[in-house]
Amino acid sequence: MIRTLTRRYTLRTSSSCNRTRMSSDNSGKYHQNLIPDANDDDDGMDIRNEEQSMVHQNVGAGTPHHDLQSDMEMMKERFAKLLLGEDMSGGGKGVYSALALSNAVTNLAASIFGEKGKLEPLAPERKARWRKEMDWLLSVTDHIVEFVPSQQISKDGTNMEVMVTRQRSDLLANIPGLLKLDAILIETLDNFGQEQEFWYASKNENQDMDNSSQRDDKWWHPIVKVPENGLSETSRKRLQYQKESVSQVLKAAMNINAQVLSEIQIPESYIDSLPKNGRESLGDSIYKSITVDSFDPLQFLSAMDFSTEHKVLDFKNRIEASILIWKRKMNQKDGWNPWGSGISSGKRELFEVRAETILLLLKQQFPGVAQSSLDISKIQENRDVGLAIQESYSRVLESLAFSVMSRIEDVLHADSLTRTRRCGEIDCSGDTDTLGIK
């Protein structure tokens, strides 16, 4: 693999040629090959597809020869670590290749983005590193292929059907989409490098100034400052547009992540740790609220205590566990019923649908909540390299989109407080257009 990727990286730095992969809709059996055969030199997937080239363009172009060699050595070191399952001692204590790749994507995103406290462009070296190293990690998906039928004509004119390989269908569908979401987020951050009407208070100002413009739940973030009369209408509309754009990216990344997680098999260790029935998992109070005749999910969630992230995560774990318990009990051949013989299968299915609705609304209401116990268990026990890369990539993009959207909301919140305060100082019954208050 290292030899193949080194050759690919050399080609990418010396040529701008790109070839688009086949996009046939036929499906077939697939296999994943983390270590390519020696014949991979002739493989048609040596160059990434058009979408990925658009996002990762100019990586390494024009760099001195010694920088190129340094990048190659770094790439060899990274993939050697992945092949050893992060155990560089060679003692056989490494993790699965899928988990090693997932951790690599997660750690790379953490080192590049961290927790975005300000709306500002990435430093050029950070952006170049993100594009370059993500390209290395995504290159593994070139060798996860499936067999599909293809028509070929022999020399004597005979038309015959042969099996050829192409990138696995789920990767063909999701990787280009994730690359586009990546590009949108990076472009959004780049737009904040232009002249802006807001700025951030320095550390000295943070200690001396009134923190009334800072939300209590985000006290560790830099304080946003806006002009005395608030943002202009043009700037406010631009921020609203950027917020909507990032919101769409967040939804798309969440959908891809949820889809990929649903395809990962539930580990037996997690199943063994589940309570025996849904009532025990949810608790009597929540269980009774879900199983009443008249049920309103929005009213149910409004009555719950979600004052801390820990409480949100605990509730999410309970709901996911109860859904899995109910599904397994309904599918058991012996027909054992956790609620008693008086509960029909129709009501069991109804309760499961209610719990899934609650879980969906909870994820929409708290998109930045930490991963549940089920998700963590799936990621740690997953063996599928392709699913691991899709899950980790969509997860870090989801986290970045949520952070950017939250920072935009901080600016709009500071603007709203400033305009309200300014309105209280003057007579707002007259001309309010100068303050941007409608």
Side-chain angles (χ1 to χ4, degrees):
M1 166 179 280
I2 295 175
R3 177 185 57 80
T4 303
L5 293 175
T6 303
R7 180 185 56 78
R8 271 175 14 111
Y9 186 66
T10 305
L11 289 174
R12 197 174 286 118
T13 59
S14 61
S15 172
S16 60
C17 174
N18 284 292
R19 292 175 293 180
T20 305
R21 295 192 187 89
M22 291 187 305
S23 57
S24 170
D25 292 334
N26 297 327
S27 61
K29 295 182 179 179
Y30 62 83
H31 69 277
Q32 57 183 27
N33 184 10
L34 191 58
I35 305 179
D37 296 331
N39 295 329
D40 280 346
D41 289 350
D42 298 325
D43 198 331
M45 290 186 294
D46 282 341
I47 308 297
R48 300 214 61 79
N49 56 33
E50 182 178 352
E51 291 85 357
Q52 185 163 343
S53 298
M54 177 186 66
V55 177
H56 297 161
Q57 60 185 345
N58 296 329
V59 176
T63 55
H65 180 69
H66 69 276
D67 288 344
L68 178 60
Q69 291 296 328
S70 176
D71 285 346
M72 288 183 178
E73 292 301 321
M74 183 187 301
M75 180 173 60
K76 292 178 182 179
E77 180 182 350
R78 297 290 169 82
F79 275 93
K81 183 177 181 180
L82 292 177
L83 290 172
L84 292 173
E86 301 178 345
D87 179 20
M88 298 301 287
S89 68
K93 299 180 180 179
V95 298
Y96 302 118
S97 297
L99 181 57
L101 278 165
S102 178
N103 291 339
V105 174
T106 303
N107 294 336
L108 175 61
S111 63
I112 297 297
F113 303 109
E115 184 177 356
K116 294 295 294 181
K118 297 181 179 180
L119 291 173
E120 58 185 5
L122 284 177
E125 58 274 12
R126 284 178 175 266
K127 187 191 303 183
R129 182 189 167 200
W130 169 251
R131 290 174 171 173
K132 177 176 62 179
E133 297 192 22
M134 273 306 303
D135 190 36
W136 295 349
L137 297 173
L138 291 174
S139 64
V140 175
T141 62
D142 287 345
H143 305 283
I144 303 176
V145 298
E146 62 186 357
F147 290 102
V148 294
S150 175
Q151 297 293 329
Q152 290 188 4
I153 300 178
S154 61
K155 294 182 179 179
D156 60 1
T158 304
N159 189 13
M160 57 183 179
E161 184 178 274
V162 297
M163 300 299 290
V164 297
T165 59
R166 72 170 185 188
Q167 191 179 38
R168 207 169 72 188
S169 55
D170 60 329
L171 296 170
L172 275 174
N174 289 333
I175 295 298
L178 290 171
L179 288 166
K180 290 180 180 178
L181 299 180
D182 187 341
I184 293 173
L185 290 175
I186 298 299
E187 181 182 2
T188 300
L189 290 175
D190 287 341
N191 290 336
F192 288 106
Q194 304 170 2
E195 188 69 22
Q196 300 292 336
E197 295 183 7
F198 65 90
W199 65 97
Y200 294 92
S202 65
K203 293 183 178 179
N204 293 333
E205 289 178 310
N206 286 350
Q207 297 175 357
D208 299 334
M209 69 183 298
D210 178 18
N211 291 344
S212 59
S213 63
Q214 187 77 351
R215 296 184 181 182
D216 293 336
D217 59 340
K218 300 178 181 179
W219 55 267
W220 62 91
H221 289 151
I223 297 177
V224 180
K225 300 287 290 180
V226 297
E228 292 184 359
N229 293 333
L231 301 174
S232 66
E233 188 67 19
T234 301
S235 180
R236 193 178 305 113
K237 287 183 177 180
R238 183 168 61 249
L239 283 172
Q240 288 288 359
Y241 172 79
Q242 290 171 327
K243 177 185 174 182
E244 290 298 323
S245 176
V246 175
S247 176
Q248 294 302 315
V249 172
L250 175 61
K251 291 178 181 178
M254 289 178 62
N255 289 337
I256 294 177
N257 187 260
Q259 173 201 346
V260 174
L261 281 172
S262 67
E263 296 176 6
I264 300 178
Q265 185 177 1
I266 301 174
E268 288 296 329
S269 58
Y270 178 82
I271 296 176
D272 294 340
S273 67
L274 293 175
K276 294 182 179 181
N277 54 63
R279 181 189 290 271
E280 184 178 347
S281 173
L282 294 173
D284 290 337
S285 177
I286 298 177
Y287 175 78
K288 291 179 181 179
S289 299
I290 292 179
T291 57
V292 294
D293 293 336
S294 179
F295 176 74
D296 184 349
L298 294 176
Q299 182 179 358
F300 170 80
L301 287 175
S302 64
M304 295 296 299
D305 179 14
F306 294 138
S307 55
T308 64
E309 183 178 348
H310 174 74
K311 293 181 179 180
V312 177
L313 183 59
D314 178 69
F315 179 74
K316 183 180 179 181
N317 287 332
R318 290 173 179 270
I319 288 291
E320 286 187 339
S322 65
I323 292 173
L324 182 57
I325 292 171
W326 293 343
K327 282 184 177 179
R328 289 179 59 82
K329 294 302 180 182
M330 285 189 291
N331 293 332
Q332 282 185 348
K333 295 182 179 180
D334 60 4
W336 183 80
N337 189 347
W339 300 287
S341 58
I343 303 297
S344 65
S345 60
K347 283 194 173 182
R348 300 178 193 175
E349 185 176 358
L350 174 63
F351 298 157
E352 179 196 335
V353 170
R354 289 178 176 179
E356 290 178 338
T357 301
I358 292 173
L359 181 61
L360 177 61
L361 293 174
L362 186 71
K363 291 180 179 180
Q364 293 175 351
Q365 185 176 351
F366 301 98
V369 71
Q371 290 176 303
S372 65
S373 299
L374 176 58
D375 293 344
I376 294 175
S377 179
K378 283 185 174 183
I379 293 171
Q380 291 178 342
E381 299 297 328
N382 173 45
R383 308 287 203 280
D384 191 307
V385 172
L387 292 178
I389 293 179
Q390 294 177 78
E391 191 282 326
S392 56
Y393 195 14
S394 60
R395 171 163 41 83
V396 298
L397 292 181
E398 176 185 336
S399 177
L400 177 59
F402 178 75
S403 296
V404 173
M405 190 172 69
S406 297
R407 301 296 79 76
I408 295 177
E409 290 176 346
D410 289 343
V411 177
L412 294 174
H413 176 71
D415 173 59
S416 176
L417 289 179
T418 300
R419 289 184 293 121
T420 302
R421 187 184 304 114
R422 180 64 174 169
C423 185
E425 295 174 355
I426 64 175
D427 182 10
C428 291
S429 60
D431 184 12
T432 60
D433 290 341
T434 57
L435 297 179
I437 303 174
K438 304 297 183 184

PDB file of all heavy atoms in Angstrom, residues 383-403:
ATOM      1  N   ARG A 383     -15.369  -3.649  11.838  1.00  0.00           N
ATOM      2  CA  ARG A 383     -14.254  -4.212  11.068  1.00  0.00           C
ATOM      3  C   ARG A 383     -14.207  -3.656   9.650  1.00  0.00           C
ATOM      4  O   ARG A 383     -13.217  -3.843   8.951  1.00  0.00           O
ATOM      5  CB  ARG A 383     -14.385  -5.739  10.971  1.00  0.00           C
ATOM      6  CG  ARG A 383     -14.583  -6.476  12.275  1.00  0.00           C
ATOM      7  CD  ARG A 383     -13.309  -6.528  13.103  1.00  0.00           C
ATOM      8  NE  ARG A 383     -13.322  -7.626  14.036  1.00  0.00           N
ATOM      9  CZ  ARG A 383     -13.957  -7.622  15.199  1.00  0.00           C
ATOM     10  NH1 ARG A 383     -14.641  -6.554  15.567  1.00  0.00           N
ATOM     11  NH2 ARG A 383     -13.911  -8.673  15.999  1.00  0.00           N
ATOM     12  N   ASP A 384     -15.258  -2.999   9.207  1.00  0.00           N
ATOM     13  CA  ASP A 384     -15.355  -2.529   7.828  1.00  0.00           C
ATOM     14  C   ASP A 384     -14.614  -1.203   7.678  1.00  0.00           C
ATOM     15  O   ASP A 384     -15.032  -0.173   8.223  1.00  0.00           O
ATOM     16  CB  ASP A 384     -16.825  -2.369   7.434  1.00  0.00           C
ATOM     17  CG  ASP A 384     -17.020  -2.140   5.945  1.00  0.00           C
ATOM     18  OD1 ASP A 384     -16.381  -1.218   5.404  1.00  0.00           O
ATOM     19  OD2 ASP A 384     -17.804  -2.874   5.317  1.00  0.00           O
ATOM     20  N   VAL A 385     -13.518  -1.215   6.914  1.00  0.00           N
ATOM     21  CA  VAL A 385     -12.694  -0.018   6.748  1.00  0.00           C
ATOM     22  C   VAL A 385     -13.468   1.084   6.027  1.00  0.00           C
ATOM     23  O   VAL A 385     -13.383   2.268   6.385  1.00  0.00           O
ATOM     24  CB  VAL A 385     -11.403  -0.369   5.982  1.00  0.00           C
ATOM     25  CG1 VAL A 385     -10.618   0.892   5.628  1.00  0.00           C
ATOM     26  CG2 VAL A 385     -10.542  -1.319   6.808  1.00  0.00           C
ATOM     27  N   GLY A 386     -14.233   0.714   5.002  1.00  0.00           N
ATOM     28  CA  GLY A 386     -14.998   1.712   4.255  1.00  0.00           C
ATOM     29  C   GLY A 386     -16.012   2.434   5.117  1.00  0.00           C
ATOM     30  O   GLY A 386     -16.146   3.667   5.056  1.00  0.00           O
ATOM     31  N   LEU A 387     -16.742   1.686   5.937  1.00  0.00           N
ATOM     32  CA  LEU A 387     -17.717   2.309   6.833  1.00  0.00           C
ATOM     33  C   LEU A 387     -17.019   3.161   7.887  1.00  0.00           C
ATOM     34  O   LEU A 387     -17.528   4.218   8.282  1.00  0.00           O
ATOM     35  CB  LEU A 387     -18.564   1.229   7.513  1.00  0.00           C
ATOM     36  CG  LEU A 387     -19.527   0.447   6.613  1.00  0.00           C
ATOM     37  CD1 LEU A 387     -20.265  -0.618   7.420  1.00  0.00           C
ATOM     38  CD2 LEU A 387     -20.525   1.374   5.945  1.00  0.00           C
ATOM     39  N   ALA A 388     -15.852   2.719   8.353  1.00  0.00           N
ATOM     40  CA  ALA A 388     -15.122   3.479   9.368  1.00  0.00           C
ATOM     41  C   ALA A 388     -14.712   4.851   8.842  1.00  0.00           C
ATOM     42  O   ALA A 388     -14.835   5.862   9.551  1.00  0.00           O
ATOM     43  CB  ALA A 388     -13.887   2.692   9.818  1.00  0.00           C
ATOM     44  N   ILE A 389     -14.224   4.903   7.607  1.00  0.00           N
ATOM     45  CA  ILE A 389     -13.803   6.184   7.037  1.00  0.00           C
ATOM     46  C   ILE A 389     -15.012   7.089   6.824  1.00  0.00           C
ATOM     47  O   ILE A 389     -14.969   8.293   7.124  1.00  0.00           O
ATOM     48  CB  ILE A 389     -13.048   5.951   5.710  1.00  0.00           C
ATOM     49  CG1 ILE A 389     -11.715   5.243   5.987  1.00  0.00           C
ATOM     50  CG2 ILE A 389     -12.808   7.267   4.979  1.00  0.00           C
ATOM     51  CD1 ILE A 389     -10.910   4.945   4.749  1.00  0.00           C
ATOM     52  N   GLN A 390     -16.116   6.537   6.297  1.00  0.00           N
ATOM     53  CA  GLN A 390     -17.310   7.357   6.089  1.00  0.00           C
ATOM     54  C   GLN A 390     -17.854   7.885   7.403  1.00  0.00           C
ATOM     55  O   GLN A 390     -18.243   9.052   7.498  1.00  0.00           O
ATOM     56  CB  GLN A 390     -18.388   6.524   5.388  1.00  0.00           C
ATOM     57  CG  GLN A 390     -18.046   6.099   3.973  1.00  0.00           C
ATOM     58  CD  GLN A 390     -19.130   5.215   3.389  1.00  0.00           C
ATOM     59  OE1 GLN A 390     -20.184   5.675   2.959  1.00  0.00           O
ATOM     60  NE2 GLN A 390     -18.873   3.917   3.365  1.00  0.00           N
ATOM     61  N   GLU A 391     -17.885   7.045   8.421  1.00  0.00           N
ATOM     62  CA  GLU A 391     -18.426   7.464   9.714  1.00  0.00           C
ATOM     63  C   GLU A 391     -17.580   8.556  10.341  1.00  0.00           C
ATOM     64  O   GLU A 391     -18.093   9.581  10.802  1.00  0.00           O
ATOM     65  CB  GLU A 391     -18.512   6.252  10.649  1.00  0.00           C
ATOM     66  CG  GLU A 391     -19.293   6.492  11.935  1.00  0.00           C
ATOM     67  CD  GLU A 391     -18.493   7.263  12.978  1.00  0.00           C
ATOM     68  OE1 GLU A 391     -17.248   7.063  13.043  1.00  0.00           O
ATOM     69  OE2 GLU A 391     -19.084   8.068  13.726  1.00  0.00           O
ATOM     70  N   SER A 392     -16.262   8.365  10.365  1.00  0.00           N
ATOM     71  CA  SER A 392     -15.390   9.338  11.016  1.00  0.00           C
ATOM     72  C   SER A 392     -15.356  10.658  10.248  1.00  0.00           C
ATOM     73  O   SER A 392     -15.378  11.738  10.857  1.00  0.00           O
ATOM     74  CB  SER A 392     -13.978   8.771  11.162  1.00  0.00           C
ATOM     75  OG  SER A 392     -13.457   8.372   9.896  1.00  0.00           O
ATOM     76  N   TYR A 393     -15.323  10.588   8.914  1.00  0.00           N
ATOM     77  CA  TYR A 393     -15.281  11.810   8.110  1.00  0.00           C
ATOM     78  C   TYR A 393     -16.568  12.611   8.289  1.00  0.00           C
ATOM     79  O   TYR A 393     -16.542  13.830   8.491  1.00  0.00           O
ATOM     80  CB  TYR A 393     -15.070  11.440   6.641  1.00  0.00           C
ATOM     81  CG  TYR A 393     -14.647  12.587   5.747  1.00  0.00           C
ATOM     82  CD1 TYR A 393     -14.197  13.800   6.268  1.00  0.00           C
ATOM     83  CD2 TYR A 393     -14.684  12.456   4.365  1.00  0.00           C
ATOM     84  CE1 TYR A 393     -13.795  14.838   5.443  1.00  0.00           C
ATOM     85  CE2 TYR A 393     -14.281  13.487   3.527  1.00  0.00           C
ATOM     86  CZ  TYR A 393     -13.846  14.676   4.071  1.00  0.00           C
ATOM     87  OH  TYR A 393     -13.461  15.706   3.249  1.00  0.00           O
ATOM     88  N   SER A 394     -17.720  11.937   8.220  1.00  0.00           N
ATOM     89  CA  SER A 394     -18.994  12.637   8.399  1.00  0.00           C
ATOM     90  C   SER A 394     -19.127  13.175   9.816  1.00  0.00           C
ATOM     91  O   SER A 394     -19.684  14.262  10.036  1.00  0.00           O
ATOM     92  CB  SER A 394     -20.164  11.701   8.084  1.00  0.00           C
ATOM     93  OG  SER A 394     -20.174  10.559   8.931  1.00  0.00           O
ATOM     94  N   ARG A 395     -18.573  12.464  10.782  1.00  0.00           N
ATOM     95  CA  ARG A 395     -18.676  12.907  12.186  1.00  0.00           C
ATOM     96  C   ARG A 395     -17.857  14.178  12.430  1.00  0.00           C
ATOM     97  O   ARG A 395     -18.332  15.099  13.107  1.00  0.00           O
ATOM     98  CB  ARG A 395     -18.227  11.779  13.122  1.00  0.00           C
ATOM     99  CG  ARG A 395     -18.085  12.175  14.569  1.00  0.00           C
ATOM    100  CD  ARG A 395     -18.060  10.964  15.485  1.00  0.00           C
ATOM    101  NE  ARG A 395     -17.287   9.885  14.968  1.00  0.00           N
ATOM    102  CZ  ARG A 395     -15.954   9.752  15.079  1.00  0.00           C
ATOM    103  NH1 ARG A 395     -15.266  10.681  15.717  1.00  0.00           N
ATOM    104  NH2 ARG A 395     -15.330   8.706  14.587  1.00  0.00           N
ATOM    105  N   VAL A 396     -16.632  14.240  11.903  1.00  0.00           N
ATOM    106  CA  VAL A 396     -15.816  15.437  12.133  1.00  0.00           C
ATOM    107  C   VAL A 396     -16.378  16.635  11.363  1.00  0.00           C
ATOM    108  O   VAL A 396     -16.297  17.777  11.843  1.00  0.00           O
ATOM    109  CB  VAL A 396     -14.341  15.183  11.744  1.00  0.00           C
ATOM    110  CG1 VAL A 396     -13.750  14.078  12.607  1.00  0.00           C
ATOM    111  CG2 VAL A 396     -14.179  14.874  10.267  1.00  0.00           C
ATOM    112  N   LEU A 397     -16.978  16.391  10.191  1.00  0.00           N
ATOM    113  CA  LEU A 397     -17.617  17.489   9.461  1.00  0.00           C
ATOM    114  C   LEU A 397     -18.866  17.965  10.190  1.00  0.00           C
ATOM    115  O   LEU A 397     -19.163  19.164  10.231  1.00  0.00           O
ATOM    116  CB  LEU A 397     -17.974  17.048   8.036  1.00  0.00           C
ATOM    117  CG  LEU A 397     -16.804  16.788   7.091  1.00  0.00           C
ATOM    118  CD1 LEU A 397     -17.317  16.387   5.708  1.00  0.00           C
ATOM    119  CD2 LEU A 397     -15.901  18.012   6.979  1.00  0.00           C
ATOM    120  N   GLU A 398     -19.594  17.033  10.772  1.00  0.00           N
ATOM    121  CA  GLU A 398     -20.765  17.401  11.577  1.00  0.00           C
ATOM    122  C   GLU A 398     -20.359  18.255  12.762  1.00  0.00           C
ATOM    123  O   GLU A 398     -21.003  19.278  13.068  1.00  0.00           O
ATOM    124  CB  GLU A 398     -21.459  16.119  12.059  1.00  0.00           C
ATOM    125  CG  GLU A 398     -22.639  16.338  12.979  1.00  0.00           C
ATOM    126  CD  GLU A 398     -23.199  15.037  13.519  1.00  0.00           C
ATOM    127  OE1 GLU A 398     -23.008  13.992  12.875  1.00  0.00           O
ATOM    128  OE2 GLU A 398     -23.829  15.067  14.596  1.00  0.00           O
ATOM    129  N   SER A 399     -19.276  17.874  13.432  1.00  0.00           N
ATOM    130  CA  SER A 399     -18.791  18.637  14.578  1.00  0.00           C
ATOM    131  C   SER A 399     -18.324  20.026  14.163  1.00  0.00           C
ATOM    132  O   SER A 399     -18.625  21.024  14.831  1.00  0.00           O
ATOM    133  CB  SER A 399     -17.649  17.873  15.251  1.00  0.00           C
ATOM    134  OG  SER A 399     -17.102  18.612  16.324  1.00  0.00           O
ATOM    135  N   LEU A 400     -17.605  20.111  13.036  1.00  0.00           N
ATOM    136  CA  LEU A 400     -17.122  21.405  12.562  1.00  0.00           C
ATOM    137  C   LEU A 400     -18.281  22.307  12.159  1.00  0.00           C
ATOM    138  O   LEU A 400     -18.296  23.501  12.482  1.00  0.00           O
ATOM    139  CB  LEU A 400     -16.174  21.206  11.382  1.00  0.00           C
ATOM    140  CG  LEU A 400     -15.631  22.479  10.722  1.00  0.00           C
ATOM    141  CD1 LEU A 400     -14.865  23.319  11.738  1.00  0.00           C
ATOM    142  CD2 LEU A 400     -14.765  22.136   9.518  1.00  0.00           C
ATOM    143  N   ALA A 401     -19.267  21.741  11.458  1.00  0.00           N
ATOM    144  CA  ALA A 401     -20.428  22.536  11.045  1.00  0.00           C
ATOM    145  C   ALA A 401     -21.189  23.064  12.251  1.00  0.00           C
ATOM    146  O   ALA A 401     -21.625  24.226  12.268  1.00  0.00           O
ATOM    147  CB  ALA A 401     -21.346  21.688  10.157  1.00  0.00           C
ATOM    148  N   PHE A 402     -21.346  22.241  13.267  1.00  0.00           N
ATOM    149  CA  PHE A 402     -22.043  22.682  14.476  1.00  0.00           C
ATOM    150  C   PHE A 402     -21.279  23.802  15.168  1.00  0.00           C
ATOM    151  O   PHE A 402     -21.877  24.773  15.657  1.00  0.00           O
ATOM    152  CB  PHE A 402     -22.225  21.499  15.427  1.00  0.00           C
ATOM    153  CG  PHE A 402     -22.886  21.855  16.729  1.00  0.00           C
ATOM    154  CD1 PHE A 402     -24.253  22.100  16.784  1.00  0.00           C
ATOM    155  CD2 PHE A 402     -22.145  21.963  17.894  1.00  0.00           C
ATOM    156  CE1 PHE A 402     -24.868  22.444  17.988  1.00  0.00           C
ATOM    157  CE2 PHE A 402     -22.743  22.298  19.089  1.00  0.00           C
ATOM    158  CZ  PHE A 402     -24.113  22.539  19.129  1.00  0.00           C
ATOM    159  N   SER A 403     -19.948  23.697  15.215  1.00  0.00           N
ATOM    160  CA  SER A 403     -19.144  24.740  15.848  1.00  0.00           C
ATOM    161  C   SER A 403     -19.247  26.057  15.093  1.00  0.00           C
ATOM    162  O   SER A 403     -19.409  27.131  15.696  1.00  0.00           O
ATOM    163  CB  SER A 403     -17.677  24.294  15.923  1.00  0.00           C
ATOM    164  OG  SER A 403     -17.528  23.156  16.754  1.00  0.00           O
TER     165      SER A 403
END
